[in-house]
Amino acid sequence: MAVKLVFLGKLADLAGAPEKDVPGPLDWHGLLAALPGPLGEAINGERIKLAVNGAVLPDKTALAAEDGDEIALLPPVSGG
Amino acid sequence: MAVKLVFLGKLADLAGAPEKDVPGPLDWHGLLAALPGPLGEAINGERIKLAVNGAVLPDKTALAAEDGDEIALLPPVSGG
Amino acid sequence: MKDVRILHGELAPGPAMTAFSAAHPESGGIVSFLGKVRPDGDVEALELKHYAPLTLKGMEELADEALTRWPLDGILLHHRTGAMKPGDPIVLVAAAARHRRDAFEAADFAMDHLKSDAWFWKREKRADGWHWIEPRAQDHSDLARWT
Amino acid sequence: MKDVRILHGELAPGPAMTAFSAAHPESGGIVSFLGKVRPDGDVEALELKHYAPLTLKGMEELADEALTRWPLDGILLHHRTGAMKPGDPIVLVAAAARHRRDAFEAADFAMDHLKSDAWFWKREKRADGWHWIEPRAQDHSDLARWT
């Protein structure tokens, strides 16, 4: 078991993969530490949102994920 | 050869037939004379228009049809 | 491209839309309106009469007017005539355009005109016989939006 | 009736419209919007990504919102995902209602939201490679009409 990170849109390009497993529990600082370099910088930007198990977080710095949770990293949508 | 009258909508019910041939030439008074009874009264009403060979007359009392012409008697449309 | 028809037989909207879409691969958006005979109250049947020299010409002019007002790639106006039952398709309008707002407005415009301003005469059969129909007040106010 | 789908294969608008119309024999009018990948400039291909837990849920909520705002008999939202070519159908929206104005407005509303507010990420392949796309300013102003 781990926390699954799902990278959407251009974040998947920066991550080099659509998904990544990291050990839980995971808070906001743990997430930044797990994603160094340009990906971490991008995620820090205010236009990137987080969803945990399909629910978008109103405040992404309040992240608190456990093993088995899925965190989606969401850049601005393109629309359909 | 004659002038062909084409009755649309409820006028066909009043006429008892969808079409009628009358001898030409035919002007407005000749048309009224050719259509006695309730049909003539209906056609006198301002909501009934006339078309000659597919062109609606701006002033139906200016009707001037020859043998071979087709006069359509047009009640208010229902739309599609 | 104009595709204006008065249909004496069945109107099949699916195949008509497939063909219209295929004819406009360049269009970003296609808006369609399908009108069906409404099963209102005790209406058993509906009959639509037209007068070809006026009705088809009027529909062609309506299509031309829409093509003039909006930058469309194409417009389709298909209208049934003759005897129909409640639930039967009676009119199909479609507009293809580069941008969807133009397609929405053109289809809306065409329908408002077809509903109250086209050369059709309609009668409905109810339990007590046939009745000739005139446009609803709503149809007239819809039409006034475009003037 | 709600018919909300994310399609991983082809979107066939004709059959979808035929089925939707058959499911709503009581509706006087059905408005549809078909969006296709526009052959703009040098775009060779387009890829749409979605995230099912958000994307499908968001489309379901959009359909519910339309059903709340207008007296509809039914609404259909079908959206492609994955790789597409210019000219391919990408989205089909349809609204069935007793009166056509409700169907027009609901389809227009649903499209404005899907175009700029839905959980999709789009990238286009041009001669110089892939580019991620964000909504046009026009899409945002279209959306603001409904608030």
Side-chain angles (χ1 to χ4, degrees):
Chain A
M1 291 286 282
V3 177
K4 185 201 274 189
L5 306 183
V6 179
F7 304 105
L8 279 305
K10 64 187 175 191
L11 298 182
D13 293 351
L14 289 178
E19 299 181 359
K20 179 181 180 176
D21 282 352
V22 298
L26 195 70
D27 65 5
W28 173 244
H29 293 291
L31 178 66
L32 290 180
L35 301 171
L39 190 55
E41 286 169 33
I43 286 165
N44 225 339
E46 64 181 19
R47 302 184 71 205
I48 305 294
K49 295 177 182 171
L50 296 186
V52 176
N53 301 329
V56 179
L57 298 183
D59 172 7
K60 64 186 170 187
T61 66
L63 174 69
E66 306 287 332
D67 280 344
D69 285 347
E70 178 169 305
I71 305 178
L73 295 90
L74 310 162
V77 296
S78 313
Chain B
M1 292 285 281
V3 176
K4 184 202 277 189
L5 306 183
V6 178
F7 304 106
L8 278 306
K10 64 187 175 191
L11 298 181
D13 293 350
L14 289 177
E19 298 181 0
K20 178 181 181 177
D21 282 352
V22 298
L26 195 71
D27 65 6
W28 173 243
H29 294 289
L31 177 65
L32 291 180
L35 301 171
L39 189 56
E41 286 168 30
I43 285 165
N44 226 339
E46 63 181 21
R47 302 184 71 205
I48 307 292
K49 295 177 181 171
L50 295 187
V52 177
N53 301 328
V56 179
L57 299 182
D59 173 8
K60 64 187 173 187
T61 65
L63 174 70
E66 305 288 332
D67 281 344
D69 285 346
E70 179 169 304
I71 303 177
L73 295 88
L74 310 162
V77 295
S78 314
Chain C
M1 188 274 269
K2 254 192 317 180
D3 179 357
V4 176
R5 305 184 204 183
I6 293 175
L7 304 173
H8 301 273
E10 191 193 353
L11 196 174
M17 285 307 297
T18 299
F20 187 68
S21 175
H24 295 289
E26 79 286 7
S27 300
I30 297 177
V31 170
S32 79
F33 177 85
L34 170 65
K36 296 193 284 186
V37 179
R38 263 206 301 258
D40 271 351
D42 61 349
V43 174
E44 298 164 11
L46 178 144
E47 188 177 21
L48 213 61
K49 305 258 192 184
H50 75 294
Y51 179 58
L54 287 180
T55 313
L56 191 58
K57 191 175 68 174
M59 288 172 65
E60 294 273 0
E61 289 169 353
L62 176 58
D64 289 334
E65 171 76 10
L67 289 168
T68 302
R69 284 198 180 209
W70 290 278
L72 304 179
D73 297 320
I75 187 162
L76 174 153
L77 308 179
H78 288 184
H79 212 299
R80 275 290 311 272
T81 187
M84 283 158 270
K85 301 181 306 300
D88 284 352
I90 181 170
V91 59
L92 178 68
V93 160
R98 181 175 166 83
H99 296 295
R100 69 181 182 283
R101 184 123 329 280
D102 296 320
F104 267 109
E105 290 183 4
D108 197 6
F109 168 87
M111 272 313 302
D112 280 353
H113 283 74
L114 282 175
K115 283 303 286 185
S116 63
D117 198 29
W119 292 99
F120 288 102
W121 295 269
K122 185 190 294 180
R123 57 176 189 163
E124 292 176 352
K125 187 181 185 186
R126 306 198 198 102
D128 61 346
W130 287 96
H131 299 268
W132 289 100
I133 305 299
E134 297 195 6
R136 301 174 302 144
Q138 174 73 41
D139 292 323
H140 287 301
S141 62
D142 285 346
L143 189 62
R145 297 187 304 141
W146 305 100
T147 56
Chain D
M1 188 275 271
K2 255 191 320 180
D3 178 357
V4 176
R5 305 185 203 183
I6 293 175
L7 303 173
H8 301 271
E10 192 192 354
L11 196 174
M17 286 306 298
T18 299
F20 187 68
S21 175
H24 295 289
E26 78 286 7
S27 301
I30 296 177
V31 170
S32 79
F33 177 85
L34 171 65
K36 297 193 284 186
V37 180
R38 263 206 301 259
D40 271 350
D42 60 350
V43 175
E44 297 163 10
L46 177 145
E47 189 177 21
L48 213 61
K49 305 259 192 184
H50 75 294
Y51 178 58
L54 287 179
T55 314
L56 192 59
K57 191 175 68 175
M59 289 171 64
E60 294 273 1
E61 289 169 354
L62 177 59
D64 288 333
E65 171 77 9
L67 289 168
T68 302
R69 284 198 180 209
W70 290 277
L72 304 179
D73 297 319
I75 187 162
L76 174 153
L77 308 179
H78 288 183
H79 211 298
R80 274 292 308 273
T81 186
M84 284 159 269
K85 302 182 307 300
D88 284 351
I90 181 170
V91 60
L92 178 68
V93 160
R98 183 175 163 84
H99 296 296
R100 70 181 182 281
R101 184 125 327 281
D102 296 319
F104 267 110
E105 291 184 3
D108 198 5
F109 167 87
M111 272 313 302
D112 280 354
H113 282 74
L114 283 174
K115 284 302 284 185
S116 63
D117 197 28
W119 292 100
F120 288 102
W121 295 271
K122 186 190 293 178
R123 58 178 189 161
E124 292 176 352
K125 188 180 185 186
R126 306 198 197 101
D128 61 347
W130 286 97
H131 300 268
W132 290 100
I133 305 300
E134 298 194 6
R136 301 175 302 143
Q138 174 73 43
D139 291 323
H140 287 300
S141 62
D142 285 347
L143 189 60
R145 298 187 302 142
W146 305 101
T147 57

mmCIF file of all heavy atoms in Angstrom, chain D residues 3 7 10 21 31 55 69 80-81 83 86 95 100-101 105 108 112 114 120 124 136 146:
data_model
loop_
_atom_site.group_PDB
_atom_site.id
_atom_site.type_symbol
_atom_site.label_atom_id
_atom_site.label_comp_id
_atom_site.label_asym_id
_atom_site.label_seq_id
_atom_site.Cartn_x
_atom_site.Cartn_y
_atom_site.Cartn_z
ATOM 1 N N ASP D 3 -28.393 10.801 -19.744
ATOM 2 C CA ASP D 3 -27.537 9.848 -20.460
ATOM 3 C C ASP D 3 -26.165 10.506 -20.595
ATOM 4 O O ASP D 3 -25.910 11.257 -21.525
ATOM 5 C CB ASP D 3 -28.161 9.530 -21.822
ATOM 6 C CG ASP D 3 -27.305 8.574 -22.650
ATOM 7 O OD1 ASP D 3 -26.199 8.200 -22.197
ATOM 8 O OD2 ASP D 3 -27.747 8.200 -23.753
ATOM 9 N N LEU D 7 -16.706 8.521 -23.700
ATOM 10 C CA LEU D 7 -16.500 7.478 -24.711
ATOM 11 C C LEU D 7 -15.013 7.341 -25.031
ATOM 12 O O LEU D 7 -14.348 8.326 -25.346
ATOM 13 C CB LEU D 7 -17.255 7.835 -25.991
ATOM 14 C CG LEU D 7 -18.764 8.066 -25.832
ATOM 15 C CD1 LEU D 7 -19.356 8.587 -27.144
ATOM 16 C CD2 LEU D 7 -19.454 6.771 -25.428
ATOM 17 N N GLU D 10 -15.211 5.602 -30.831
ATOM 18 C CA GLU D 10 -15.861 6.552 -31.729
ATOM 19 C C GLU D 10 -17.189 7.070 -31.178
ATOM 20 O O GLU D 10 -17.940 6.334 -30.539
ATOM 21 C CB GLU D 10 -16.119 5.855 -33.077
ATOM 22 C CG GLU D 10 -16.525 6.810 -34.180
ATOM 23 C CD GLU D 10 -17.052 6.065 -35.407
ATOM 24 O OE1 GLU D 10 -16.992 4.823 -35.419
ATOM 25 O OE2 GLU D 10 -17.530 6.735 -36.331
ATOM 26 N N SER D 21 -33.964 10.266 -29.417
ATOM 27 C CA SER D 21 -35.292 10.667 -29.875
ATOM 28 C C SER D 21 -36.324 9.578 -29.564
ATOM 29 O O SER D 21 -37.434 9.866 -29.104
ATOM 30 C CB SER D 21 -35.262 10.961 -31.375
ATOM 31 O OG SER D 21 -36.561 11.234 -31.850
ATOM 32 N N VAL D 31 -33.000 19.513 -29.186
ATOM 33 C CA VAL D 31 -31.888 20.297 -29.729
ATOM 34 C C VAL D 31 -30.603 19.525 -29.471
ATOM 35 O O VAL D 31 -30.403 18.983 -28.381
ATOM 36 C CB VAL D 31 -31.809 21.678 -29.066
ATOM 37 C CG1 VAL D 31 -30.514 22.391 -29.453
ATOM 38 C CG2 VAL D 31 -33.013 22.519 -29.484
ATOM 39 N N THR D 55 -14.131 13.818 -13.814
ATOM 40 C CA THR D 55 -14.708 14.205 -15.102
ATOM 41 C C THR D 55 -16.149 13.721 -15.244
ATOM 42 O O THR D 55 -17.048 14.487 -15.577
ATOM 43 C CB THR D 55 -13.842 13.673 -16.252
ATOM 44 O OG1 THR D 55 -12.473 13.939 -15.979
ATOM 45 C CG2 THR D 55 -14.238 14.326 -17.561
ATOM 46 N N ARG D 69 -32.660 23.601 -14.010
ATOM 47 C CA ARG D 69 -32.929 24.953 -14.532
ATOM 48 C C ARG D 69 -34.056 25.000 -15.547
ATOM 49 O O ARG D 69 -34.728 26.024 -15.679
ATOM 50 C CB ARG D 69 -31.674 25.501 -15.213
ATOM 51 C CG ARG D 69 -30.600 25.966 -14.250
ATOM 52 C CD ARG D 69 -29.666 26.869 -15.027
ATOM 53 N NE ARG D 69 -28.588 27.395 -14.229
ATOM 54 C CZ ARG D 69 -28.001 28.567 -14.468
ATOM 55 N NH1 ARG D 69 -28.398 29.316 -15.489
ATOM 56 N NH2 ARG D 69 -27.011 28.980 -13.735
ATOM 57 N N ARG D 80 -16.051 12.362 -26.037
ATOM 58 C CA ARG D 80 -14.902 11.522 -26.382
ATOM 59 C C ARG D 80 -13.728 11.824 -25.462
ATOM 60 O O ARG D 80 -13.568 12.938 -24.970
ATOM 61 C CB ARG D 80 -14.424 11.827 -27.816
ATOM 62 C CG ARG D 80 -15.103 11.080 -28.928
ATOM 63 C CD ARG D 80 -14.799 9.615 -28.927
ATOM 64 N NE ARG D 80 -13.376 9.294 -28.889
ATOM 65 C CZ ARG D 80 -12.592 9.189 -29.949
ATOM 66 N NH1 ARG D 80 -13.067 9.404 -31.156
ATOM 67 N NH2 ARG D 80 -11.321 8.869 -29.814
ATOM 68 N N THR D 81 -12.842 10.829 -25.305
ATOM 69 C CA THR D 81 -11.547 11.053 -24.699
ATOM 70 C C THR D 81 -10.552 10.250 -25.531
ATOM 71 O O THR D 81 -10.940 9.455 -26.376
ATOM 72 C CB THR D 81 -11.549 10.648 -23.210
ATOM 73 O OG1 THR D 81 -10.308 11.011 -22.623
ATOM 74 C CG2 THR D 81 -11.782 9.173 -23.042
ATOM 75 N N ALA D 83 -7.258 9.805 -28.298
ATOM 76 C CA ALA D 83 -6.655 10.418 -29.488
ATOM 77 C C ALA D 83 -7.685 10.610 -30.592
ATOM 78 O O ALA D 83 -8.494 9.720 -30.868
ATOM 79 C CB ALA D 83 -5.523 9.535 -29.998
ATOM 80 N N PRO D 86 -8.480 15.706 -36.782
ATOM 81 C CA PRO D 86 -9.379 16.774 -37.236
ATOM 82 C C PRO D 86 -10.592 16.188 -37.965
ATOM 83 O O PRO D 86 -10.459 15.259 -38.764
ATOM 84 C CB PRO D 86 -8.495 17.583 -38.187
ATOM 85 C CG PRO D 86 -7.105 17.386 -37.647
ATOM 86 C CD PRO D 86 -7.076 15.961 -37.167
ATOM 87 N N ALA D 95 -30.797 17.946 -25.732
ATOM 88 C CA ALA D 95 -31.803 18.231 -24.713
ATOM 89 C C ALA D 95 -33.178 18.051 -25.333
ATOM 90 O O ALA D 95 -33.448 18.570 -26.413
ATOM 91 C CB ALA D 95 -31.642 19.656 -24.180
ATOM 92 N N ARG D 100 -39.484 24.159 -27.448
ATOM 93 C CA ARG D 100 -38.156 24.187 -28.043
ATOM 94 C C ARG D 100 -37.211 25.187 -27.376
ATOM 95 O O ARG D 100 -36.007 24.980 -27.353
ATOM 96 C CB ARG D 100 -38.228 24.432 -29.545
ATOM 97 C CG ARG D 100 -38.662 25.822 -29.978
ATOM 98 C CD ARG D 100 -38.717 25.904 -31.509
ATOM 99 N NE ARG D 100 -39.077 27.234 -31.956
ATOM 100 C CZ ARG D 100 -40.300 27.726 -31.972
ATOM 101 N NH1 ARG D 100 -41.311 27.004 -31.536
ATOM 102 N NH2 ARG D 100 -40.527 28.959 -32.401
ATOM 103 N N ARG D 101 -37.748 26.293 -26.827
ATOM 104 C CA ARG D 101 -36.842 27.282 -26.232
ATOM 105 C C ARG D 101 -36.073 26.688 -25.055
ATOM 106 O O ARG D 101 -34.886 26.949 -24.878
ATOM 107 C CB ARG D 101 -37.644 28.527 -25.802
ATOM 108 C CG ARG D 101 -36.815 29.658 -25.267
ATOM 109 C CD ARG D 101 -37.027 30.987 -25.982
ATOM 110 N NE ARG D 101 -37.311 30.811 -27.373
ATOM 111 C CZ ARG D 101 -36.381 30.559 -28.293
ATOM 112 N NH1 ARG D 101 -35.116 30.459 -27.970
ATOM 113 N NH2 ARG D 101 -36.731 30.385 -29.542
ATOM 114 N N GLU D 105 -31.951 26.418 -24.892
ATOM 115 C CA GLU D 105 -31.168 27.028 -23.813
ATOM 116 C C GLU D 105 -30.376 25.995 -23.032
ATOM 117 O O GLU D 105 -29.217 26.223 -22.669
ATOM 118 C CB GLU D 105 -32.089 27.830 -22.883
ATOM 119 C CG GLU D 105 -32.631 29.076 -23.566
ATOM 120 C CD GLU D 105 -33.464 29.949 -22.636
ATOM 121 O OE1 GLU D 105 -33.578 29.618 -21.450
ATOM 122 O OE2 GLU D 105 -34.011 30.953 -23.122
ATOM 123 N N ASP D 108 -27.331 24.841 -25.074
ATOM 124 C CA ASP D 108 -26.376 25.948 -25.127
ATOM 125 C C ASP D 108 -25.612 26.046 -23.791
ATOM 126 O O ASP D 108 -24.364 26.131 -23.759
ATOM 127 C CB ASP D 108 -27.199 27.223 -25.380
ATOM 128 C CG ASP D 108 -26.374 28.384 -25.887
ATOM 129 O OD1 ASP D 108 -25.175 28.218 -26.144
ATOM 130 O OD2 ASP D 108 -26.957 29.481 -26.029
ATOM 131 N N ASP D 112 -21.561 25.428 -23.161
ATOM 132 C CA ASP D 112 -20.683 26.469 -22.607
ATOM 133 C C ASP D 112 -19.910 25.929 -21.404
ATOM 134 O O ASP D 112 -18.724 26.245 -21.228
ATOM 135 C CB ASP D 112 -21.504 27.705 -22.200
ATOM 136 C CG ASP D 112 -21.838 28.583 -23.403
ATOM 137 O OD1 ASP D 112 -21.337 28.301 -24.509
ATOM 138 O OD2 ASP D 112 -22.598 29.551 -23.236
ATOM 139 N N LEU D 114 -19.264 22.610 -20.754
ATOM 140 C CA LEU D 114 -18.335 21.546 -21.172
ATOM 141 C C LEU D 114 -17.083 22.124 -21.819
ATOM 142 O O LEU D 114 -15.985 21.582 -21.670
ATOM 143 C CB LEU D 114 -19.031 20.588 -22.156
ATOM 144 C CG LEU D 114 -19.988 19.580 -21.534
ATOM 145 C CD1 LEU D 114 -20.704 18.797 -22.620
ATOM 146 C CD2 LEU D 114 -19.220 18.624 -20.613
ATOM 147 N N PHE D 120 -11.283 18.202 -18.445
ATOM 148 C CA PHE D 120 -10.539 17.600 -19.561
ATOM 149 C C PHE D 120 -9.256 18.391 -19.773
ATOM 150 O O PHE D 120 -9.221 19.607 -19.565
ATOM 151 C CB PHE D 120 -11.361 17.633 -20.864
ATOM 152 C CG PHE D 120 -12.507 16.671 -20.890
ATOM 153 C CD1 PHE D 120 -13.805 17.116 -20.677
ATOM 154 C CD2 PHE D 120 -12.299 15.326 -21.142
ATOM 155 C CE1 PHE D 120 -14.874 16.230 -20.696
ATOM 156 C CE2 PHE D 120 -13.365 14.434 -21.164
ATOM 157 C CZ PHE D 120 -14.662 14.892 -20.942
ATOM 158 N N GLU D 124 -2.581 19.331 -28.476
ATOM 159 C CA GLU D 124 -2.617 19.277 -29.935
ATOM 160 C C GLU D 124 -1.227 18.978 -30.464
ATOM 161 O O GLU D 124 -0.231 19.522 -29.971
ATOM 162 C CB GLU D 124 -3.070 20.625 -30.509
ATOM 163 C CG GLU D 124 -4.506 20.967 -30.219
ATOM 164 C CD GLU D 124 -4.891 22.358 -30.718
ATOM 165 O OE1 GLU D 124 -3.984 23.108 -31.158
ATOM 166 O OE2 GLU D 124 -6.085 22.680 -30.654
ATOM 167 N N ARG D 136 -10.223 29.269 -24.600
ATOM 168 C CA ARG D 136 -10.164 30.587 -25.220
ATOM 169 C C ARG D 136 -10.903 31.597 -24.335
ATOM 170 O O ARG D 136 -11.804 31.236 -23.579
ATOM 171 C CB ARG D 136 -10.851 30.571 -26.593
ATOM 172 C CG ARG D 136 -10.261 29.586 -27.593
ATOM 173 C CD ARG D 136 -11.094 29.574 -28.864
ATOM 174 N NE ARG D 136 -12.480 29.219 -28.576
ATOM 175 C CZ ARG D 136 -13.540 29.716 -29.162
ATOM 176 N NH1 ARG D 136 -13.392 30.622 -30.108
ATOM 177 N NH2 ARG D 136 -14.752 29.333 -28.851
ATOM 178 N N TRP D 146 -24.273 32.666 -18.055
ATOM 179 C CA TRP D 146 -25.241 31.871 -17.278
ATOM 180 C C TRP D 146 -25.205 32.162 -15.791
ATOM 181 O O TRP D 146 -25.905 31.516 -15.019
ATOM 182 C CB TRP D 146 -24.974 30.378 -17.513
ATOM 183 C CG TRP D 146 -24.997 30.025 -18.949
ATOM 184 C CD1 TRP D 146 -23.926 29.831 -19.761
ATOM 185 C CD2 TRP D 146 -26.154 29.837 -19.778
ATOM 186 N NE1 TRP D 146 -24.352 29.538 -21.035
ATOM 187 C CE2 TRP D 146 -25.700 29.534 -21.075
ATOM 188 C CE3 TRP D 146 -27.530 29.905 -19.546
ATOM 189 C CZ2 TRP D 146 -26.570 29.298 -22.131
ATOM 190 C CZ3 TRP D 146 -28.389 29.663 -20.607
ATOM 191 C CH2 TRP D 146 -27.896 29.368 -21.876
#
